[in-house]
Amino acid sequence: MTLPALTFIAINDLVGHTRGRSVPSAETTRALRRGVGWVPANLAINSFGEIAEENVFGASGDLRLIPDLTTGIDIPAGHGRPDLRLLLAEQRLPDGGEWGGCPRTFARRALADFTEATGLEVVASFEHEFTLRDAPSTSPFSLRRFREAEPFGTELVELLDTVGLQPENWLPEYGAQQYEITLEPAPGLVAADRAILVRDLVRDLAARHERSVTFAPLSAPGSGGNGVHVHLSLRDAQTGAPVLFDPSAPAQLSREGLRFAAGVIRHAGALTALSASSPSSYQRLAPHTWSVGGAYLAEHNREALLRICPTSELGGGDPRRQLNLEFRAADATSNPWIVLGALVRAGLEGFQRDYESPVIWPEETTEDQLAGVPRLPASVEEAVAALVADETAAGWFHPDLLRTFLDIRRSETLAVQGLTPAEICAKVADAY
């Protein structure tokens, strides 16, 4: 089998964009050992392609991108584009030491600390919604909409299967021109890696078909929003046995699951800043939008920040392996490594601190009963303020990483200053 001519060594930055540089494939072995050069200030590039002013790095410093061979995929040639080897990397210091600004290092360390402290491992899956912007306006969930995406849809599922990302579902969604792709659950870091890869594979395949896609939270005010739902479960690190399911507990959620959820609910405002990061994200995160209506834990409710997903014994299904928590406040303007790492850090706080157990709102709960639940921040500025005010959550990050995240958010706020909500949605949609 002929190797691709180039290997692209990539990171995913604080606005969820994949960046990096390529080497001839013959140099890949050398790059695995020594890495390739990189610049710290690249972490400060915002979603509109500009380096945030007054960032902590300036023009100084050097890094190495050290690829992880286990992340490698081969994107096949087609439609005029050559094949390509793609490897995800961690950003390290020139001597190989860890760099505090690397989002993948942040996730990896959070997962390791969680396992060391609890004896449990995180299993995750990221569901992605996106808009196929040049698709006809057809009925939600319909066979017609499903077929309107062909042959792109079938080729996407085949591509994801070929590169080993384990696609689970491909479906037409509710919003205009909206589709969803889901992957099978995987160990935490693998799931976050795959979340990055699937976005870029969707975009690459769409470009090869001369079609336009966006993962932006909203294409226009009031339109169906694109979210990234993060499914989380826990298993014993030694035996692999799932631990979230307890048939005798309320909503069948175990004590371990309730403690994890308590941490997420307690730090909801800070987490939202990290998971929904763009100027248009908060037009989507509101009641009656089927995204998130408040910071609460609920059984099956799709407007809860954290949803206890249903299980079924139909066809021999095992509820112990199905029960999971779904975090619903993320979108693709965020970095999957940061989102997962922050959720794990919040869950660990729930294990280690004496947080009050959250109420589990049952499926039959009415809207009036939920009127008093805490709301999420109403804007990216409010979310960032919540992150800064939450000393525990802010302390999860190396100071340079947190400072750069805040610098980017300020630069993006300035970039959309004076724009109407519709213009903000359009600008973000073009960026994603």
Side-chain angles (χ1 to χ4, degrees), residues 35 71 73 86 98 127 168 172 174 176 193 204 215 240 269 273 276 306 315 332 372 394 398 411 415:
T71 68
I73 61 170
L86 176 60
E98 289 187 351
E127 294 181 358
E168 183 180 53
Y174 177 75
D193 291 343
D204 190 76
F215 285 83
L306 206 57
H398 187 282
S411 73

Side-chain angles (χ1 to χ4, degrees), residues 349-404:
E349 300 290 347
F351 273 81
Q352 295 181 326
R353 297 176 183 261
D354 189 25
Y355 289 159
E356 181 180 356
S357 293
V359 173
I360 300 176
W361 293 93
E363 188 170 10
E364 60 272 14
T365 300
T366 66
E367 188 173 323
D368 288 342
Q369 290 172 311
L370 290 170
V373 301
R375 299 299 180 191
L376 293 182
S379 67
V380 68
E381 292 84 2
E382 285 187 19
V384 166
L387 172 60
V388 172
D390 187 335
E391 293 183 1
T392 298
W396 299 334
F397 298 91
H398 187 282
D400 289 350
L401 180 57
L402 180 63
R403 160 76 186 274
T404 305

Side-chain angles (χ1 to χ4, degrees), residues 194-216:
R194 289 177 174 181
I196 292 163
L197 294 171
V198 75
R199 296 178 192 178
D200 287 296
L201 288 172
V202 168
R203 293 190 182 101
D204 190 76
L205 183 63
R208 285 187 269 159
H209 280 274
E210 297 184 344
R211 307 198 71 164
S212 175
V213 300
T214 182
F215 285 83

Side-chain angles (χ1 to χ4, degrees), residues 148-172:
E148 291 286 2
E150 297 290 18
F152 169 82
T154 294
E155 287 190 22
L156 175 61
V157 174
E158 289 176 342
L159 173 61
L160 297 179
D161 186 56
T162 297
V163 301
L165 296 195
Q166 296 182 294
E168 183 180 53
N169 287 298
W170 159 248
L171 61 145

Side-chain angles (χ1 to χ4, degrees), residues 39 45 183 210 224 274 302 387 426:
V39 178
I45 300 175
L183 306 179
E210 297 184 344
L274 301 163
R302 287 180 173 81
L387 172 60

Side-chain angles (χ1 to χ4, degrees), residues 228-240:
V228 177
H229 303 152
V230 186
H231 291 260
L232 300 158
S233 60
L234 305 176
R235 66 186 182 192
D236 187 281
Q238 297 298 320
T239 67

Side-chain angles (χ1 to χ4, degrees), residues 294-332:
Y296 61 95
L297 171 68
E299 186 180 15
H300 310 167
N301 189 327
R302 287 180 173 81
E303 288 212 343
L305 174 70
L306 206 57
R307 182 173 83 107
I308 303 170
C309 295
T311 63
S312 173
E313 297 184 36
L314 190 66
D318 183 355
R320 295 175 304 162
R321 299 191 175 278
Q322 297 171 27
L323 191 79
N324 67 88
L325 296 171
E326 180 187 31
F327 179 79
R328 295 182 57 80
D331 62 43

